Structure formats: C-alpha cells, structure tokens
Amino acid sequence: MTNALVLLSGGQDSTTCLLDTLSLAYDEVSAVSFDYGQRHRVELGQARHILDVLRSRTGRALPHYVLQVPALRDLADAALTSPDIAVEATATSGAGNEYAARHGLPSTFVPARNAMLLATAAALAAKLDAPTIVTGICEADDAGYPDCREAFRLPMEAALRAALDWPELELAAPLMNRTKAETWKLAWQAAGEWGIELVRQATHTCYEGERRELHDYGYGCDRCPACHTRAAGWREFVAHEFNAGALA
Ligand SMILES: [Zn+2]
C-alpha cells in the first residue's frame, strides 16, 4: 500500500515519469504541477490534458494539484520565466541572467528552482501520505542544470527525510541516467504505442511555446535547444529501437 506523487510539468520527461509510475504497483498516483510564471504556460494546459487522457484510458482517479510558487517568478531572471531574456546554452553577461552568466550556466537556469519545487512537493506528499515523489530530473541529457544531477538529488532526499522525520521518503528520478532516446523508449515500455503517441503529441518541450506544427518528434519551433534535444532523441530512438512504420 504505497502512494506516489509525480511532478508533472506537461513536458516529455515528466509525462514519461507519470507513464512509468502508472505501470508500477502504486495504489494511488497523484500529480502536482507548479505555476511560477513560466514563460510557456501552455505546459500547464498540456498537463491537464494529459491527465484527462490518462484518466479515461486507465480509469484511475489521478488527482491533480496545481500549486502557485510566485516567489520563483518574483526572484528569477531566467529565460524560462522572462520573455525579455534570450535562450542561451551558456548565459552571457548583460543578457539578463547574471547568476547564470557568473556560473557558466544556461540562461534558462532558475536558481534553486528544483530545491523549492521538491520541498513544496514534499509538503504535499506529507499531506497525501505519498512517500515516493517522482521527478523527471536527468543529468544524462547534459542541459547543464546543477539541480538535475544525482549530486543534488541524493542530499535533497536526505534533507527532506530529515526535515519531515520520514525515512521512507524517496525522491525517485527514473530518467536520471537515461538519454533522450532512452526516455522515449521508457514511455514505449511503460505504455506501448499509445504512450509514445501521447508523449509525441500532447507533451510540450519547446522553449518558444510553439505548438502550431507537428513534427515527427512532436510540436515545437524546430529551432530552440529544447526542440533540438527532443528531435535528436526521437530520431535515435526510431533508428535503433522502434519501427517507425508502426505510427504510420
Ligand atoms: Zn522549440
């Protein structure tokens, strides 16, 4: 008898984590999304849509909590929250995200975001008696975020266990060492072809918020770093693992 709480942004990684969690033997699976003024609020709408599809497909309740984290919006200068800052793989000084520029990080890095979101999720998990918190953080795709690494996950898990006096609390990160191609494969293993189609068509990754054109890997602008990473993973998955004709 265990419950799991999945952080669901509406993107590829968190949706794949949700599919994976649903394929495991949890009694109840809940989802939490955060509203912190992210540039592409289209993600939140996609998260709701994804849960609607999964409820009708699985017959499970899948409660969804949307929590406001306005402090992140107030504090962050990142390209992920401000439309005035360009998306740069390594932030340049004067372009708006000075912390990222000083530390050689992408302009989309939001300082302490995952620490805040995971602590907030842990408060909800305590309320729900859900000792497994599932997050899509991943260090293998090399986006360069320090709070997506195992070196962050382990001490964060230890800190939350201590903070809550809850030794069973687990921060599960099923994608931690998976490449983007392996993430596509996990969706396939967890939910078959319909899982792939759900991830391909319903999840949102593009930094530009573009959802007008459906490419082989899903919707996106086809130009930003997030679209490039997603597309490269899809093509590697199709080339090595998956019969693309199955989707024709
Ligand atoms: Zn894009």
Side-chain angles (χ1 to χ4, degrees), residues 205-210 217 219-228:
T205 301
C206 176
Y207 284 147
E208 301 299 333
E210 177 57 58
Y217 58 86
Y219 289 95
C221 72
D222 210 32
R223 292 183 305 276
C224 76
C227 281
H228 284 171

Side-chain angles (χ1 to χ4, degrees), residues 35-113:
D35 186 350
Y36 54 93
Q38 55 269 59
R39 203 164 145 179
H40 306 308
R41 297 170 60 82
V42 60
E43 274 191 345
L44 282 177
Q46 292 308 119
R48 290 190 179 93
H49 169 66
I50 287 159
L51 284 164
D52 283 343
V53 171
L54 287 169
R55 285 186 194 106
S56 67
R57 176 95 195 182
T58 66
R60 299 176 75 161
L62 304 180
H64 186 208
Y65 302 84
V66 179
L67 303 179
Q68 308 290 319
V69 191
L72 263 187
R73 180 189 55 224
D74 296 344
L75 287 167
D77 313 321
L80 215 58
T81 53
S82 169
D84 302 327
I85 299 175
V87 174
E88 298 174 316
T90 304
T92 52
S93 185
N97 189 341
E98 293 307 309
Y99 183 86
R102 284 199 301 276
H103 291 260
L105 296 168
S107 66
T108 45
F109 178 68
V110 180
R113 175 178 60 162

